[in-house]
mmCIF file of all heavy atoms in Angstrom:
data_model
loop_
_atom_site.group_PDB
_atom_site.id
_atom_site.type_symbol
_atom_site.label_atom_id
_atom_site.label_comp_id
_atom_site.label_asym_id
_atom_site.label_seq_id
_atom_site.Cartn_x
_atom_site.Cartn_y
_atom_site.Cartn_z
ATOM 1 N N PRO E 1 -52.028 -37.613 -25.274
ATOM 2 C CA PRO E 1 -53.298 -37.553 -24.539
ATOM 3 C C PRO E 1 -53.564 -36.157 -23.973
ATOM 4 O O PRO E 1 -52.656 -35.490 -23.473
ATOM 5 C CB PRO E 1 -53.105 -38.569 -23.413
ATOM 6 C CG PRO E 1 -52.046 -39.500 -23.917
ATOM 7 C CD PRO E 1 -51.125 -38.635 -24.726
ATOM 8 N N GLY E 2 -54.825 -35.736 -24.094
ATOM 9 C CA GLY E 2 -55.236 -34.471 -23.505
ATOM 10 C C GLY E 2 -54.868 -33.237 -24.284
ATOM 11 O O GLY E 2 -55.103 -32.119 -23.806
ATOM 12 N N ALA E 3 -54.302 -33.386 -25.475
ATOM 13 C CA ALA E 3 -53.913 -32.201 -26.250
ATOM 14 C C ALA E 3 -55.112 -31.303 -26.529
ATOM 15 O O ALA E 3 -54.999 -30.071 -26.539
ATOM 16 C CB ALA E 3 -53.260 -32.627 -27.564
ATOM 17 N N PHE E 4 -56.263 -31.916 -26.759
ATOM 18 C CA PHE E 4 -57.503 -31.168 -26.972
ATOM 19 C C PHE E 4 -58.477 -31.366 -25.809
ATOM 20 O O PHE E 4 -59.697 -31.287 -25.984
ATOM 21 C CB PHE E 4 -58.164 -31.609 -28.285
ATOM 22 C CG PHE E 4 -57.314 -31.378 -29.500
ATOM 23 C CD1 PHE E 4 -56.918 -32.442 -30.292
ATOM 24 C CD2 PHE E 4 -56.901 -30.107 -29.855
ATOM 25 C CE1 PHE E 4 -56.130 -32.241 -31.420
ATOM 26 C CE2 PHE E 4 -56.111 -29.892 -30.974
ATOM 27 C CZ PHE E 4 -55.726 -30.959 -31.755
ATOM 28 N N GLY E 5 -57.952 -31.625 -24.631
ATOM 29 C CA GLY E 5 -58.791 -31.868 -23.474
ATOM 30 C C GLY E 5 -59.282 -33.309 -23.455
ATOM 31 O O GLY E 5 -58.880 -34.145 -24.265
ATOM 32 N N SER E 6 -60.166 -33.576 -22.515
ATOM 33 C CA SER E 6 -60.651 -34.951 -22.336
ATOM 34 C C SER E 6 -62.158 -35.067 -22.525
ATOM 35 O O SER E 6 -62.749 -36.091 -22.193
ATOM 36 C CB SER E 6 -60.277 -35.447 -20.937
ATOM 37 O OG SER E 6 -60.820 -34.584 -19.939
ATOM 38 N N ILE E 7 -62.794 -34.028 -23.075
ATOM 39 C CA ILE E 7 -64.245 -34.045 -23.247
ATOM 40 C C ILE E 7 -64.608 -34.984 -24.393
ATOM 41 O O ILE E 7 -64.143 -34.817 -25.524
ATOM 42 C CB ILE E 7 -64.786 -32.634 -23.535
ATOM 43 C CG1 ILE E 7 -64.449 -31.692 -22.377
ATOM 44 C CG2 ILE E 7 -66.290 -32.672 -23.765
ATOM 45 C CD1 ILE E 7 -64.793 -30.246 -22.658
ATOM 46 N N ALA E 8 -65.432 -35.965 -24.107
ATOM 47 C CA ALA E 8 -65.886 -36.896 -25.146
ATOM 48 C C ALA E 8 -67.052 -36.271 -25.906
ATOM 49 O O ALA E 8 -67.879 -35.562 -25.337
ATOM 50 C CB ALA E 8 -66.308 -38.217 -24.528
ATOM 51 N N GLY E 9 -67.116 -36.538 -27.198
ATOM 52 C CA GLY E 9 -68.205 -36.015 -28.015
ATOM 53 C C GLY E 9 -68.374 -36.835 -29.262
ATOM 54 O O GLY E 9 -67.572 -37.719 -29.565
ATOM 55 N N ASP E 10 -69.424 -36.517 -29.998
ATOM 56 C CA ASP E 10 -69.689 -37.190 -31.269
ATOM 57 C C ASP E 10 -69.035 -36.383 -32.383
ATOM 58 O O ASP E 10 -69.699 -35.788 -33.221
ATOM 59 C CB ASP E 10 -71.196 -37.318 -31.478
ATOM 60 C CG ASP E 10 -71.538 -38.080 -32.743
ATOM 61 O OD1 ASP E 10 -70.705 -38.891 -33.192
ATOM 62 O OD2 ASP E 10 -72.627 -37.853 -33.300
ATOM 63 N N ASN E 11 -67.711 -36.353 -32.368
ATOM 64 C CA ASN E 11 -66.947 -35.510 -33.290
ATOM 65 C C ASN E 11 -66.911 -36.147 -34.680
ATOM 66 O O ASN E 11 -66.451 -37.275 -34.838
ATOM 67 C CB ASN E 11 -65.533 -35.318 -32.752
ATOM 68 C CG ASN E 11 -65.533 -34.696 -31.371
ATOM 69 O OD1 ASN E 11 -65.822 -33.525 -31.217
ATOM 70 N ND2 ASN E 11 -65.224 -35.498 -30.350
ATOM 71 N N GLU E 12 -67.383 -35.403 -35.670
ATOM 72 C CA GLU E 12 -67.523 -35.935 -37.025
ATOM 73 C C GLU E 12 -66.411 -35.487 -37.967
ATOM 74 O O GLU E 12 -65.923 -36.281 -38.759
ATOM 75 C CB GLU E 12 -68.884 -35.514 -37.596
ATOM 76 C CG GLU E 12 -70.072 -36.036 -36.811
ATOM 77 C CD GLU E 12 -70.325 -37.517 -37.022
ATOM 78 O OE1 GLU E 12 -70.041 -38.011 -38.125
ATOM 79 O OE2 GLU E 12 -70.814 -38.176 -36.081
ATOM 80 N N HIS E 13 -66.064 -34.206 -37.908
ATOM 81 C CA HIS E 13 -65.074 -33.691 -38.865
ATOM 82 C C HIS E 13 -64.184 -32.655 -38.201
ATOM 83 O O HIS E 13 -64.533 -32.061 -37.174
ATOM 84 C CB HIS E 13 -65.766 -33.092 -40.091
ATOM 85 C CG HIS E 13 -66.338 -34.128 -41.005
ATOM 86 N ND1 HIS E 13 -65.566 -34.895 -41.850
ATOM 87 C CD2 HIS E 13 -67.612 -34.542 -41.191
ATOM 88 C CE1 HIS E 13 -66.334 -35.734 -42.520
ATOM 89 N NE2 HIS E 13 -67.578 -35.542 -42.133
ATOM 90 N N VAL E 14 -63.024 -32.403 -38.839
ATOM 91 C CA VAL E 14 -62.030 -31.477 -38.304
ATOM 92 C C VAL E 14 -61.375 -30.723 -39.458
ATOM 93 O O VAL E 14 -61.146 -31.284 -40.537
ATOM 94 C CB VAL E 14 -60.967 -32.236 -37.477
ATOM 95 C CG1 VAL E 14 -60.324 -33.369 -38.282
ATOM 96 C CG2 VAL E 14 -59.910 -31.282 -36.935
ATOM 97 N N ARG E 15 -61.088 -29.429 -39.220
ATOM 98 C CA ARG E 15 -60.350 -28.612 -40.173
ATOM 99 C C ARG E 15 -59.380 -27.722 -39.410
ATOM 100 O O ARG E 15 -59.587 -27.432 -38.228
ATOM 101 C CB ARG E 15 -61.295 -27.759 -41.029
ATOM 102 C CG ARG E 15 -62.167 -28.547 -41.981
ATOM 103 C CD ARG E 15 -61.372 -29.238 -43.078
ATOM 104 N NE ARG E 15 -62.205 -29.965 -44.020
ATOM 105 C CZ ARG E 15 -62.523 -31.252 -43.904
ATOM 106 N NH1 ARG E 15 -62.073 -31.950 -42.870
ATOM 107 N NH2 ARG E 15 -63.280 -31.842 -44.804
ATOM 108 N N VAL E 16 -58.351 -27.258 -40.118
ATOM 109 C CA VAL E 16 -57.341 -26.414 -39.482
ATOM 110 C C VAL E 16 -57.129 -25.146 -40.297
ATOM 111 O O VAL E 16 -57.279 -25.134 -41.526
ATOM 112 C CB VAL E 16 -55.996 -27.168 -39.327
ATOM 113 C CG1 VAL E 16 -56.172 -28.410 -38.473
ATOM 114 C CG2 VAL E 16 -55.397 -27.528 -40.681
ATOM 115 N N ALA E 17 -56.790 -24.055 -39.590
ATOM 116 C CA ALA E 17 -56.442 -22.773 -40.199
ATOM 117 C C ALA E 17 -55.898 -21.879 -39.100
ATOM 118 O O ALA E 17 -56.099 -22.141 -37.907
ATOM 119 C CB ALA E 17 -57.661 -22.122 -40.860
ATOM 120 N N ASP E 18 -55.222 -20.820 -39.477
ATOM 121 C CA ASP E 18 -54.785 -19.820 -38.502
ATOM 122 C C ASP E 18 -55.918 -18.817 -38.343
ATOM 123 O O ASP E 18 -55.965 -17.787 -39.015
ATOM 124 C CB ASP E 18 -53.507 -19.141 -38.979
ATOM 125 C CG ASP E 18 -53.005 -18.091 -37.999
ATOM 126 O OD1 ASP E 18 -53.546 -18.011 -36.875
ATOM 127 O OD2 ASP E 18 -52.089 -17.335 -38.370
ATOM 128 N N PHE E 19 -56.839 -19.125 -37.448
ATOM 129 C CA PHE E 19 -58.042 -18.309 -37.310
ATOM 130 C C PHE E 19 -57.778 -16.952 -36.666
ATOM 131 O O PHE E 19 -58.426 -15.967 -37.006
ATOM 132 C CB PHE E 19 -59.097 -19.067 -36.495
ATOM 133 C CG PHE E 19 -59.658 -20.274 -37.193
ATOM 134 C CD1 PHE E 19 -59.462 -21.541 -36.677
ATOM 135 C CD2 PHE E 19 -60.370 -20.145 -38.375
ATOM 136 C CE1 PHE E 19 -59.978 -22.662 -37.313
ATOM 137 C CE2 PHE E 19 -60.892 -21.250 -39.023
ATOM 138 C CZ PHE E 19 -60.693 -22.521 -38.494
ATOM 139 N N ASN E 20 -56.844 -16.890 -35.718
ATOM 140 C CA ASN E 20 -56.636 -15.637 -34.989
ATOM 141 C C ASN E 20 -55.426 -14.841 -35.473
ATOM 142 O O ASN E 20 -55.071 -13.816 -34.875
ATOM 143 C CB ASN E 20 -56.524 -15.900 -33.480
ATOM 144 C CG ASN E 20 -55.376 -16.834 -33.134
ATOM 145 O OD1 ASN E 20 -54.705 -17.367 -34.012
ATOM 146 N ND2 ASN E 20 -55.164 -17.047 -31.845
ATOM 147 N N GLY E 21 -54.796 -15.289 -36.554
ATOM 148 C CA GLY E 21 -53.742 -14.511 -37.192
ATOM 149 C C GLY E 21 -52.455 -14.391 -36.409
ATOM 150 O O GLY E 21 -51.684 -13.443 -36.633
ATOM 151 N N ASP E 22 -52.164 -15.353 -35.532
ATOM 152 C CA ASP E 22 -50.932 -15.283 -34.742
ATOM 153 C C ASP E 22 -49.794 -16.088 -35.343
ATOM 154 O O ASP E 22 -48.724 -16.222 -34.741
ATOM 155 C CB ASP E 22 -51.190 -15.724 -33.304
ATOM 156 C CG ASP E 22 -51.550 -17.208 -33.189
ATOM 157 O OD1 ASP E 22 -51.755 -17.861 -34.240
ATOM 158 O OD2 ASP E 22 -51.650 -17.704 -32.052
ATOM 159 N N GLY E 23 -50.027 -16.654 -36.534
ATOM 160 C CA GLY E 23 -48.992 -17.431 -37.199
ATOM 161 C C GLY E 23 -48.966 -18.895 -36.843
ATOM 162 O O GLY E 23 -48.117 -19.644 -37.358
ATOM 163 N N HIS E 24 -49.900 -19.331 -35.981
ATOM 164 C CA HIS E 24 -49.978 -20.740 -35.580
ATOM 165 C C HIS E 24 -51.322 -21.321 -36.008
ATOM 166 O O HIS E 24 -52.354 -20.634 -35.945
ATOM 167 C CB HIS E 24 -49.813 -20.879 -34.064
ATOM 168 C CG HIS E 24 -48.593 -20.211 -33.521
ATOM 169 N ND1 HIS E 24 -47.331 -20.454 -34.008
ATOM 170 C CD2 HIS E 24 -48.446 -19.285 -32.530
ATOM 171 C CE1 HIS E 24 -46.451 -19.723 -33.354
ATOM 172 N NE2 HIS E 24 -47.103 -19.004 -32.453
ATOM 173 N N LEU E 25 -51.312 -22.579 -36.401
ATOM 174 C CA LEU E 25 -52.537 -23.212 -36.855
ATOM 175 C C LEU E 25 -53.438 -23.596 -35.683
ATOM 176 O O LEU E 25 -52.975 -24.085 -34.652
ATOM 177 C CB LEU E 25 -52.222 -24.450 -37.698
ATOM 178 C CG LEU E 25 -51.656 -24.157 -39.090
ATOM 179 C CD1 LEU E 25 -51.237 -25.449 -39.787
ATOM 180 C CD2 LEU E 25 -52.664 -23.395 -39.947
ATOM 181 N N ASP E 26 -54.713 -23.356 -35.897
ATOM 182 C CA ASP E 26 -55.751 -23.683 -34.925
ATOM 183 C C ASP E 26 -56.606 -24.812 -35.488
ATOM 184 O O ASP E 26 -56.497 -25.160 -36.673
ATOM 185 C CB ASP E 26 -56.592 -22.442 -34.644
ATOM 186 C CG ASP E 26 -55.722 -21.212 -34.355
ATOM 187 O OD1 ASP E 26 -54.856 -21.315 -33.483
ATOM 188 O OD2 ASP E 26 -55.900 -20.178 -35.028
ATOM 189 N N VAL E 27 -57.478 -25.367 -34.648
ATOM 190 C CA VAL E 27 -58.241 -26.553 -35.033
ATOM 191 C C VAL E 27 -59.701 -26.369 -34.648
ATOM 192 O O VAL E 27 -60.004 -25.944 -33.526
ATOM 193 C CB VAL E 27 -57.684 -27.818 -34.341
ATOM 194 C CG1 VAL E 27 -58.429 -29.062 -34.814
ATOM 195 C CG2 VAL E 27 -56.188 -27.968 -34.607
ATOM 196 N N VAL E 28 -60.617 -26.704 -35.576
ATOM 197 C CA VAL E 28 -62.047 -26.684 -35.277
ATOM 198 C C VAL E 28 -62.623 -28.074 -35.533
ATOM 199 O O VAL E 28 -62.344 -28.695 -36.564
ATOM 200 C CB VAL E 28 -62.791 -25.605 -36.102
ATOM 201 C CG1 VAL E 28 -62.681 -25.837 -37.599
ATOM 202 C CG2 VAL E 28 -64.247 -25.515 -35.670
ATOM 203 N N PHE E 29 -63.384 -28.572 -34.558
ATOM 204 C CA PHE E 29 -64.088 -29.841 -34.659
ATOM 205 C C PHE E 29 -65.591 -29.559 -34.645
ATOM 206 O O PHE E 29 -66.059 -28.692 -33.891
ATOM 207 C CB PHE E 29 -63.771 -30.757 -33.471
ATOM 208 C CG PHE E 29 -62.341 -31.189 -33.349
ATOM 209 C CD1 PHE E 29 -61.453 -30.462 -32.571
ATOM 210 C CD2 PHE E 29 -61.881 -32.327 -33.987
ATOM 211 C CE1 PHE E 29 -60.127 -30.865 -32.425
ATOM 212 C CE2 PHE E 29 -60.562 -32.739 -33.856
ATOM 213 C CZ PHE E 29 -59.682 -32.003 -33.074
ATOM 214 N N VAL E 30 -66.359 -30.317 -35.437
ATOM 215 C CA VAL E 30 -67.818 -30.232 -35.361
ATOM 216 C C VAL E 30 -68.373 -31.587 -34.933
ATOM 217 O O VAL E 30 -67.833 -32.636 -35.279
ATOM 218 C CB VAL E 30 -68.463 -29.778 -36.681
ATOM 219 C CG1 VAL E 30 -68.034 -28.361 -37.026
ATOM 220 C CG2 VAL E 30 -68.149 -30.732 -37.821
ATOM 221 N N ALA E 31 -69.463 -31.521 -34.158
ATOM 222 C CA ALA E 31 -70.065 -32.727 -33.585
ATOM 223 C C ALA E 31 -71.514 -32.845 -34.026
ATOM 224 O O ALA E 31 -72.184 -31.852 -34.319
ATOM 225 C CB ALA E 31 -69.980 -32.682 -32.061
ATOM 226 N N GLU E 32 -71.990 -34.085 -34.040
ATOM 227 C CA GLU E 32 -73.375 -34.333 -34.443
ATOM 228 C C GLU E 32 -74.249 -34.533 -33.203
ATOM 229 O O GLU E 32 -74.861 -33.590 -32.707
ATOM 230 C CB GLU E 32 -73.461 -35.542 -35.374
ATOM 231 C CG GLU E 32 -74.863 -35.737 -35.962
ATOM 232 C CD GLU E 32 -74.926 -36.897 -36.942
ATOM 233 O OE1 GLU E 32 -74.085 -37.809 -36.858
ATOM 234 O OE2 GLU E 32 -75.841 -36.895 -37.776
ATOM 235 N N ASP E 33 -74.312 -35.731 -32.654
ATOM 236 C CA ASP E 33 -75.267 -36.028 -31.589
ATOM 237 C C ASP E 33 -75.073 -35.158 -30.352
ATOM 238 O O ASP E 33 -76.047 -34.739 -29.720
ATOM 239 C CB ASP E 33 -75.180 -37.506 -31.201
ATOM 240 C CG ASP E 33 -75.702 -38.421 -32.300
ATOM 241 O OD1 ASP E 33 -76.331 -37.903 -33.251
ATOM 242 O OD2 ASP E 33 -75.466 -39.643 -32.218
ATOM 243 N N THR E 34 -73.822 -34.894 -29.975
ATOM 244 C CA THR E 34 -73.577 -34.090 -28.772
ATOM 245 C C THR E 34 -73.719 -32.594 -29.031
ATOM 246 O O THR E 34 -73.769 -31.807 -28.071
ATOM 247 C CB THR E 34 -72.181 -34.384 -28.202
ATOM 248 O OG1 THR E 34 -71.214 -34.268 -29.257
ATOM 249 C CG2 THR E 34 -72.120 -35.784 -27.618
ATOM 250 N N GLU E 35 -73.757 -32.185 -30.294
ATOM 251 C CA GLU E 35 -74.067 -30.806 -30.703
ATOM 252 C C GLU E 35 -73.145 -29.768 -30.073
ATOM 253 O O GLU E 35 -73.543 -28.625 -29.852
ATOM 254 C CB GLU E 35 -75.529 -30.477 -30.397
ATOM 255 C CG GLU E 35 -76.516 -31.402 -31.093
ATOM 256 C CD GLU E 35 -77.961 -30.930 -30.968
ATOM 257 O OE1 GLU E 35 -78.185 -29.730 -30.731
ATOM 258 O OE2 GLU E 35 -78.868 -31.780 -31.112
ATOM 259 N N GLN E 36 -71.909 -30.137 -29.788
ATOM 260 C CA GLN E 36 -70.957 -29.188 -29.233
ATOM 261 C C GLN E 36 -69.738 -29.097 -30.143
ATOM 262 O O GLN E 36 -68.934 -30.018 -30.220
ATOM 263 C CB GLN E 36 -70.518 -29.602 -27.827
ATOM 264 C CG GLN E 36 -69.470 -28.679 -27.204
ATOM 265 C CD GLN E 36 -69.944 -27.241 -27.095
ATOM 266 O OE1 GLN E 36 -70.923 -26.958 -26.410
ATOM 267 N NE2 GLN E 36 -69.253 -26.316 -27.755
ATOM 268 N N HIS E 37 -69.636 -27.972 -30.851
ATOM 269 C CA HIS E 37 -68.481 -27.755 -31.706
ATOM 270 C C HIS E 37 -67.363 -27.123 -30.872
ATOM 271 O O HIS E 37 -67.631 -26.362 -29.935
ATOM 272 C CB HIS E 37 -68.858 -26.852 -32.875
ATOM 273 C CG HIS E 37 -70.146 -27.251 -33.526
ATOM 274 N ND1 HIS E 37 -70.447 -28.566 -33.819
ATOM 275 C CD2 HIS E 37 -71.234 -26.520 -33.903
ATOM 276 C CE1 HIS E 37 -71.654 -28.625 -34.374
ATOM 277 N NE2 HIS E 37 -72.154 -27.403 -34.416
ATOM 278 N N ASN E 38 -66.131 -27.425 -31.241
ATOM 279 C CA ASN E 38 -65.007 -26.970 -30.428
ATOM 280 C C ASN E 38 -63.928 -26.316 -31.275
ATOM 281 O O ASN E 38 -63.565 -26.817 -32.348
ATOM 282 C CB ASN E 38 -64.402 -28.134 -29.645
ATOM 283 C CG ASN E 38 -65.238 -28.497 -28.428
ATOM 284 O OD1 ASN E 38 -65.452 -27.668 -27.548
ATOM 285 N ND2 ASN E 38 -65.729 -29.734 -28.384
#
C-alpha cells in the first residue's frame, strides 16, 4: 500500500522504463476521466 501514493484516479494504462538513466526502472501511468498522468 502507498507505493505510488494514495491519489485515486481513472488510471487506464501503465508502462515502465529507466527514464532518468539511473539504472532503476521508473513507472508512468496515464488517466482518462481524471486527466492526471503520473
Side-chain angles (χ1 to χ4, degrees):
F4 299 119
S6 58
I7 300 173
D10 183 25
N11 302 288
E12 299 286 328
H13 286 285
V14 54
R15 293 294 182 268
V16 300
D18 180 9
F19 292 116
N20 59 355
D22 67 352
H24 307 307
L25 288 174
D26 312 307
V27 184
V28 61
F29 297 93
V30 296
E32 187 177 24
D33 291 348
T34 51
E35 301 189 22
Q36 178 59 62
H37 314 315
N38 282 301

